[in-house]
Amino acid sequence: MPFDQIRGVNTHQELWAIEQIKRSELIRYWMDRGVRFSSAQTVHMDLNITIGSGTFIGSSVHLLSGTRIGTECTIHPFTIIDNSSIGDAATVHPHSVIRNATIGAHSNVGPFAHIQEESTIGNNCSIGNFVETKRVSIGDNTKAKHLSYLGDAQIGSNVNIGAGTITCNYDGTKKHITHIKDNVFI
């Protein structure tokens, strides 16, 4: 049995050494399956994730527990993806945070997007700079390119959300669902 598999951990330095060994094993595992890394030594990934072949992972990306990334995706630097699903051929631009959400195939997210819990982004969508979503469902081919908050909403397909749009649906007592139908331009 190799020494690295039976090491004891009694100090922070020993813990750091073990983490580096395990991180190297994980990186090699995913490289063997067709995943490319920009700066592999800077990537943090938990054990229970999946990454499809042909995917590129940028530097300082964090892939946290339960994350599933499809094939041919691009995950740009300084992105955090936590317990989320990224569809095939999707691109997540730098400094985006995706938590407990689903991103459809061929969609673009970010930079600086914040996709929060219970958000479902359809296929071929564009969720751009400084767009935040929370408990929202967005249909296919919809765009929200910049500076918007979309929360507690159901947004249809082929919708264009203009800059500065905010779904305001709290009446002081409870939140209501905002409905935006297909083919709407806001």
Side-chain angles (χ1 to χ4, degrees):
M1 175 176 269
F3 176 69
D4 288 339
Q5 294 184 4
I6 58 170
R7 286 179 183 242
V9 176
N10 299 304
T11 67
H12 288 291
Q13 290 87 359
E14 290 172 346
L15 177 60
W16 173 79
I18 293 295
E19 288 172 343
Q20 301 313 306
I21 291 165
K22 194 59 179 172
R23 179 174 291 150
S24 294
E25 288 174 4
L26 287 171
I27 295 294
R28 279 193 301 273
Y29 174 86
W30 289 113
M31 284 180 170
D32 287 344
R33 282 149 185 80
V35 177
R36 190 167 67 98
F37 294 88
S38 170
S39 297
Q41 69 277 13
T42 66
V43 173
H44 171 86
M45 62 179 71
D46 288 343
L47 293 174
N48 61 336
I49 65 167
T50 60
I51 308 171
S53 67
T55 290
F56 171 79
I57 307 292
S59 62
S60 299
V61 168
H62 288 216
L63 303 175
L64 304 179
S65 182
T67 293
R68 296 167 312 282
I69 299 175
T71 61
E72 303 294 329
C73 292
T74 301
I75 310 299
H76 286 280
F78 305 104
T79 292
I80 299 170
I81 304 175
D82 182 4
N83 192 39
S84 296
S85 178
I86 310 297
D88 293 341
T91 299
V92 180
H93 295 281
H95 300 282
S96 295
V97 177
I98 301 171
R99 183 167 284 120
N100 300 317
T102 301
I103 309 297
H106 301 280
S107 288
N108 280 282
V109 173
F112 295 99
H114 191 178
I115 311 300
Q116 296 189 63
E117 67 261 8
E118 300 176 43
S119 290
T120 301
I121 311 300
N123 298 319
N124 300 306
C125 289
S126 183
I127 306 299
N129 304 347
F130 302 101
V131 174
E132 181 175 359
T133 69
K134 187 173 185 180
R135 291 186 299 274
V136 67
S137 172
I138 297 176
D140 295 342
N141 304 306
T142 290
K143 296 176 183 168
K145 297 292 265 185
H146 36 255
L147 302 167
S148 296
Y149 173 77
L150 306 171
D152 299 296
Q154 292 180 346
I155 300 170
S157 296
N158 302 307
V159 173
N160 188 335
I161 304 289
T165 300
I166 299 171
T167 55
C168 300
N169 43 24
Y170 181 62
D171 65 8
T173 306
K174 64 183 198 173
K175 292 184 180 180
H176 303 276
I177 301 295
T178 298
H179 297 274
I180 299 173
K181 305 247 178 180
D182 293 346
N183 305 307
V184 172
F185 185 94
I186 296 181

